[in-house]
Amino acid sequence: MHDLNGKRVAILATHGFEQSELEVPLQKLREAGATVEVVSPESGEIKGWDKKDWGRAVPVDRALDGASEADYDALVLPGGQMNPDTLRANETAVNFVKSFWNAKKPIGAICHGPWLLVEAGIAEGRRMTSYGSIKTDVINAGGLWEDSEVVTDQGLVTSRKPDDLPAFCAKVAEEIAEGKHERRL
């Protein structure tokens, strides 16, 4: 994995995030040297969903209301069904995602996480993948959906499911190491 010393990464999540989709990128990016913070509209801690039942809680490092894209080099959006569905209805969360895209900073989204990309207007014209059940949502938003383990399009990294986490984390780290990405229209 790339050396990410000096890089700062936000993981945007709320209750119901898929356990491994938050914890594995958090661990892998920290192991690569990045400072990683869990950003949430909730305070204290948020509880994960671990396959078929509630999982472990993780501490929230920064309240969404006090977070700014300027404080970070990249953004990671874990999935789970509840987490991105709740966040896409939160205007502050959607604007937070948009701000990273507008600043040309890498964004990684896994499983249902691309719902936030759809809501933020980022999917249109972008090569992406996602959990199969939201494929139609991505396509209806103008995304160019692919059934691939990981898809990268100019700093936007998407992946399908927890089994794809090793490849997802490696590609997100590579994009963070590369820095800002020019975007085609």
Side-chain angles (χ1 to χ4, degrees):
M1 190 165 299
H2 292 268
D3 179 3
L4 299 180
N5 282 309
K7 300 293 186 180
R8 296 180 51 85
V9 180
I11 297 179
L12 177 62
T14 192
H15 296 292
F17 62 87
E18 183 64 42
Q19 201 78 47
S20 63
E21 294 172 13
L22 186 149
E23 290 180 343
V24 172
L26 177 74
Q27 175 191 352
K28 295 295 184 191
L29 294 171
R30 283 182 175 166
E31 287 173 0
T35 299
V36 185
E37 292 185 337
V38 175
V39 176
S40 180
E42 312 301 324
S43 59
E45 57 185 28
I46 52 176
K47 196 161 191 175
W49 186 262
D50 198 0
K51 297 180 184 87
K52 296 183 180 191
D53 203 354
W54 289 103
R56 296 173 298 285
V58 298
V60 172
D61 299 303
R62 188 178 294 203
L64 177 59
D65 287 341
S68 168
E69 155 277 315
D71 297 331
Y72 302 100
D73 298 292
L75 175 64
V76 173
L77 304 171
Q81 201 171 2
M82 292 174 269
N83 168 61
D85 194 37
T86 299
L87 290 173
R88 70 183 176 153
N90 180 317
E91 185 177 352
T92 304
V94 173
N95 287 335
F96 189 65
V97 174
K98 280 183 195 176
S99 68
F100 279 84
W101 185 252
N102 292 339
K104 302 178 180 176
K105 294 181 179 180
I107 300 174
I110 187 166
C111 190
H112 288 77
W115 259 342
L116 279 158
L117 304 175
V118 167
E119 195 65 35
I122 295 168
E124 186 171 0
R126 302 281 161 227
R127 292 178 48 245
M128 299 172 58
T129 194
S130 66
Y131 194 70
S133 68
I134 69 167
K135 170 184 175 180
T136 301
D137 296 335
V138 170
I139 292 168
N140 286 343
L144 309 172
W145 195 88
E146 299 177 20
D147 186 15
S148 299
E149 182 179 50
V150 176
V151 175
T152 305
D153 187 336
Q154 299 176 324
L156 182 65
V157 180
T158 52
S159 198
R160 298 174 302 194
K161 57 187 186 271
D163 293 348
D164 302 332
L165 278 165
F168 174 76
C169 291
K171 195 61 176 168
V172 167
E174 178 183 325
E175 296 301 304
I176 294 168
E178 288 177 5
K180 289 186 178 186
H181 289 70
E182 289 306 312
R183 312 258 195 251
R184 63 174 185 230
L185 296 176

